[in-house]
Amino acid sequence: MWKRLIPFAHAQSIFEIDVSFYKELGVKFILVDLDNTLDSYKTATPSKRVIDLKEDLLTEGIELIITSNNTGKRVTKYARALGVRFMSKLAKPFSKKLLRKLKGLKIYRHEVILIGDQIVTDISCANGAGIRSVLTEKLVEEDQPTTRFNRLFDNPLRRKLNKKHLLKDWREINGTN
């Protein structure tokens, strides 16, 4: 299997991951996909659990940064309501734009983890950039049309990764299982 498609870790959702996981890895910045990782693509403003997550991370000195392929308008509105930095129109799975933005922000790869719900965009981008990644399950059934297309590739890849035991639960990596 192509290494670029294998996540560092797997979780049901970003909300189940204990902050100790990030601390043990030396993570200072969590790059997180917006649609179906934090909230539904139909959700214009952050839910309470997203706000709580951001606050919990900040308390531990970890910054949440939204990284999305979505348009600037949607991501800007959501990120401003949450009070976080963001990167939109990232062109994931390609990593060049992400690396350029990280360099501009003086963020080093070893301080970062990228969390997303798609192998072909989020995980591929992170691995291409040399960044650890966590694959999550999608939060809700509904997807945007482009994402529905991506799922045609994503779903068989997930089954193959699962069958080959390449989806390592974050607790196994963290040592808390």
Side-chain angles (χ1 to χ4, degrees):
M1 167 136 297
W2 195 28
K3 289 183 180 183
R4 189 166 172 147
L5 303 175
I6 302 170
F8 176 73
H10 176 264
Q12 275 305 117
S13 81
I14 189 172
F15 303 104
E16 80 170 15
I17 303 172
D18 192 273
V19 74
S20 65
F21 173 73
Y22 308 119
K23 298 287 279 183
E24 285 183 23
L25 294 173
V27 169
K28 296 179 184 174
F29 303 93
I30 297 176
L31 307 179
V32 63
D33 180 55
L34 174 54
D35 297 326
N36 234 338
T37 303
L38 281 180
D39 267 318
S40 164
Y41 81 95
K42 293 181 178 180
T43 305
T45 56
S47 61
K48 182 178 178 344
R49 72 180 178 171
V50 172
I51 294 166
D52 291 345
L53 173 66
K54 181 203 92 164
E55 293 302 322
D56 291 345
L57 292 170
L58 272 179
T59 300
E60 296 296 326
I62 300 170
E63 182 182 352
L64 186 95
I65 301 172
I66 295 174
T67 55
S68 179
N69 281 349
N70 213 319
T71 65
K73 183 178 179 182
R74 170 175 166 44
V75 179
T76 300
K77 181 179 179 182
Y78 188 97
R80 285 194 178 146
L82 186 56
V84 299
R85 295 191 283 179
F86 63 93
M87 302 172 199
S88 61
K89 298 184 198 174
L90 267 187
K92 296 179 286 184
F94 307 107
S95 53
K96 187 176 182 178
K97 193 172 182 181
L98 173 65
L99 285 170
R100 191 172 58 244
K101 289 186 178 267
L102 290 176
K103 185 176 182 180
L105 295 171
K106 294 184 174 45
I107 296 175
Y108 302 101
R109 289 183 252 194
H110 69 275
E111 302 174 319
V112 174
I113 197 161
L114 190 146
I115 301 176
D117 68 304
Q118 293 184 65
I119 296 169
V120 295
T121 55
D122 304 310
I123 303 309
S124 182
C125 179
N127 288 341
I131 295 169
R132 291 170 291 204
S133 59
V134 177
L135 176 66
T136 64
E137 300 302 314
K138 60 185 190 174
L139 290 177
V140 295
E141 281 304 308
E142 62 203 18
D143 276 319
Q144 295 173 330
T146 53
T147 305
R148 281 196 299 271
F149 177 77
N150 288 344
R151 299 266 186 223
L152 296 174
F153 303 97
D154 193 84
N155 290 333
L157 285 170
R158 281 175 189 266
R159 286 191 295 274
K160 192 170 187 176
L161 288 170
N162 216 10
K163 186 177 181 180
K164 292 184 176 230
H165 307 287
L166 294 172
L167 291 180
K168 303 250 188 277
D169 187 273
W170 67 273
R171 291 172 200 88
E172 294 173 27
I173 293 166
N174 194 23
T176 60
N177 198 8

